[in-house]
Amino acid sequence: MEESPACVKEEILALMDDVRLRRLRAAADSGLLLYDDLDDYELPDGYGKQDVWKLLTAIRKQAAVFMPDDPYRKADCWFVTTTALSYDSKLIEIRCKSGYPLERDIDMLKGSPFLTKSIERTISRALEAEGADVSDGRIHDIFAARRTPRTPLDKVIGNYIEISHSADELAAREITHGLIETIYYRLVEGVDVDAIPRRAKVCPLDERILPPDSAACIDAVCRLARLEEGGEHRFGPVQRIINITWYFWNFDVFPCLNSLVGVLLRNVIAIKWNLPVLSWVPVGYYPFGRLNTPFMKSVFESWSVDCGFGFDFTSYFYVYTRFYLEEIDKLERTTDELKLLNDRIAALFDFPMNDRQKSIISSLCREPDAALRIAPHQRTFGVAYATARADFLDLERRGFLVREHEGKAFVFKACAALHERVTSLGEAAVGEY
């Protein structure tokens, strides 16, 4: 005998009021709840693990934010702006805004190698995702112009650095196919792309969300980038940036170096949307590097499996938002300690130094034996060559630096007395970056 509609209604209402289901919904709203986590909870009577997961998914979809529709997609893609995700996203926006404390600190300290190491780590992680094994030391030497690019990957790293320094100019442009293609072609300029490693693996995705070609990928990215035109205000800038890079981590939009293109595009968009600090934040992608863990595999399986209601990306956005926050925390700790280092540097000298000159001394604190060049200093601070040169010559005139020849170029090193001072300062300085 079939149950009457009234009985079914009462059963549904009783289930919705079940304290065990309320605990599960609260857990999903205040953090991250994955399928395997259900083993740690008491489930409502008569419902198995799979039944409860489908039920939670159906309930969550009622409050979903749907991602911009793409003509090739045959299933819904959505996420839920949980309390935890909304709070973390807003926190990132506030901490990364132009003119706010962290951005001001970065602008003051940007020449310090303790800080610019975050850019080097970003390059390293993106190359790792491309299947390219490049040491941190090699990246640092190219960044500091201590190594002439010889291999195709050396040239790619050099190109990446040059594009990064013109990100402000690119951010003034509309996000179009042309801009995205410009980033790629500038990245491979002068490079034999056939000699660039290709990533050996990406995570398998459901065919219903696979773009058919590169043009469809870029179309989707351009739609996501039209922030001011978006009708869904809950799909904020942080989630859109994370979603945009998702395309470049998962699909071969270009013949090679997709991860680096994605990070460079992220940097341009972050500046365009008034969140410049994000362009300093390293990012990684499962299944590569430190993110290749059982936990990240569970996260991947959570958003990449359709339980009959489309693809719930909440876990993806939540995890990558948390990764961004962790890196921003590291960046903030670094800038706090570097400000103390700058105060110590200023106290050691009896004349006023500008911030650029403090960065020169800071560089020697990290590497007391380093040979410093004018060109990277000029590039980092975006000043005229004569201004960058004057910073070094002033320190040389005061007896703190000595000038030497390396080939046809001048380099500057710490004099013996300064070498001893910066060595002791460097031992007390921040080492994480």
Side-chain angles (χ1 to χ4, degrees):
M1 182 177 178
E2 293 185 3
E3 290 185 277
S4 68
C7 291
V8 173
K9 180 180 177 181
E10 289 300 320
E11 183 179 334
I12 292 172
L13 292 174
L15 175 62
M16 296 303 294
D17 195 42
D18 191 303
V19 66
R20 293 162 292 192
L21 183 61
R22 291 207 305 272
R23 288 196 192 104
L24 289 167
R25 293 174 64 190
D29 186 60
S30 60
L32 179 62
L33 183 71
L34 301 175
Y35 180 74
D36 290 340
D37 295 333
L38 297 183
D39 294 331
D40 300 326
Y41 290 86
E42 183 182 2
L43 306 182
D45 293 336
Y47 288 85
K49 186 176 171 182
Q50 190 171 16
D51 294 330
V52 169
W53 186 251
K54 287 184 177 180
L55 177 63
L56 282 172
T57 304
I59 293 171
R60 287 159 58 78
K61 191 174 181 181
Q62 297 302 308
V65 175
F66 289 85
M67 297 181 202
D69 194 28
D70 292 309
Y72 61 82
R73 196 189 301 150
K74 300 179 179 66
D76 290 337
C77 287
W78 52 275
F79 70 99
V80 180
T81 53
T82 65
T83 300
L85 181 57
S86 296
Y87 178 80
D88 289 345
S89 299
K90 184 55 65 176
L91 199 58
I92 290 175
E93 289 181 45
I94 292 171
R95 294 171 71 182
C96 290
K97 275 189 178 295
S98 177
Y100 277 55
L102 186 53
E103 196 265 343
R104 291 199 301 267
D105 289 343
I106 288 173
D107 190 57
M108 178 180 68
L109 301 165
K110 61 185 177 184
S112 168
F114 295 103
L115 186 61
T116 54
K117 196 166 192 299
S118 66
I119 299 175
E120 296 167 20
R121 289 172 61 229
T122 299
I123 299 172
S124 177
R125 289 184 182 176
L127 285 173
E128 179 184 53
E130 291 299 313
D133 183 18
V134 182
S135 70
D136 292 346
R138 181 173 164 194
I139 293 171
H140 177 64
D141 285 346
I142 295 171
F143 193 91
R146 295 175 198 160
R147 176 190 180 106
T148 302
R150 291 188 175 88
T151 71
L153 281 178
D154 288 348
K155 182 61 176 174
V156 165
I157 294 166
N159 289 346
Y160 180 102
I161 294 165
E162 291 299 325
I163 298 168
S164 295
H165 284 284
S166 61
D168 286 315
E169 298 169 23
L170 294 172
R173 295 171 53 178
E174 185 181 352
I175 307 300
T176 62
H177 280 244
L179 174 66
I180 297 169
E181 289 168 354
T182 293
I183 292 174
Y184 170 72
Y185 286 113
R186 284 184 62 181
L187 188 63
V188 298
E189 186 176 353
V191 177
D192 178 5
V193 295
D194 292 332
I196 297 295
R198 287 347 188 232
R199 50 187 175 190
K201 57 180 179 177
V202 291
C203 294
L205 295 177
D206 192 296
E207 290 184 358
R208 290 172 295 166
I209 60 173
L210 286 175
D213 50 41
S214 296
C217 272
I218 300 178
D219 280 343
V221 168
C222 291
R223 276 191 290 275
L224 286 163
R226 297 190 191 107
L227 182 66
E228 67 281 357
E229 300 172 13
E232 178 54 82
H233 298 296
R234 293 176 297 167
F235 199 178
V238 172
Q239 284 92 3
R240 289 185 187 235
I241 286 172
I242 291 173
N243 198 189
I244 284 168
T245 54
W246 177 82
Y247 280 90
F248 293 94
W249 293 119
N250 287 279
F251 308 117
D252 289 328
V253 185
F254 296 106
C256 60
L257 302 173
N258 287 278
S259 301
L260 273 77
V261 174
V263 173
L264 286 166
L265 182 61
R266 177 207 66 173
N267 296 352
V268 169
I269 292 174
I271 293 169
K272 187 180 188 69
W273 292 351
N274 206 33
L275 302 172
V277 173
L278 269 183
S279 65
W280 287 78
V281 179
V283 65
Y285 175 67
Y286 170 80
F288 303 99
R290 70 185 184 93
L291 300 187
N292 190 13
T293 65
F295 168 73
M296 285 302 292
K297 182 179 180 182
S298 295
V299 169
F300 173 80
E301 290 174 349
S302 178
W303 70 259
S304 65
V305 174
D306 182 2
C307 295
F309 304 98
F311 296 88
D312 178 3
F313 273 72
T314 307
S315 60
Y316 183 89
F317 285 117
Y318 176 82
V319 166
Y320 279 89
T321 301
R322 293 302 307 172
F323 286 156
Y324 272 125
L325 274 177
E326 289 171 11
E327 293 293 348
I328 292 168
D329 286 342
K330 291 179 185 177
L331 201 57
E332 197 165 64
R333 288 195 298 271
T334 298
T335 58
D336 286 343
E337 294 184 37
L338 283 173
K339 283 189 288 185
L340 292 175
L341 176 61
N342 268 9
D343 290 343
R344 296 190 191 105
I345 289 171
L348 280 175
F349 300 90
D350 58 358
F351 73 97
M353 277 192 287
N354 61 46
D355 290 335
R356 298 187 305 275
Q357 288 176 311
K358 288 177 184 176
S359 81
I360 293 171
I361 306 300
S362 175
S363 296
L364 294 169
C365 287
R366 183 175 180 225
E367 298 175 279
D369 298 315
L372 304 181
R373 291 163 174 78
I374 296 172
H377 183 74
Q378 176 197 8
R379 183 182 61 202
T380 295
F381 287 98
V383 295
Y385 184 85
T387 302
R389 183 172 179 267
D391 289 337
F392 283 94
L393 293 181
D394 183 43
L395 291 173
E396 180 194 26
R397 181 175 59 82
R398 295 177 186 274
F400 301 114
L401 298 180
V402 292
R403 193 184 337 180
E404 298 180 2
H405 278 284
E406 278 195 4
K408 296 181 179 180
F410 282 120
V411 297
F412 293 84
K413 295 185 177 181
C415 69
L418 180 61
H419 188 285
E420 185 176 341
R421 288 182 179 183
V422 296
T423 299
S424 61
L425 278 175
E427 290 171 352
V430 60
E432 186 172 11
Y433 271 73

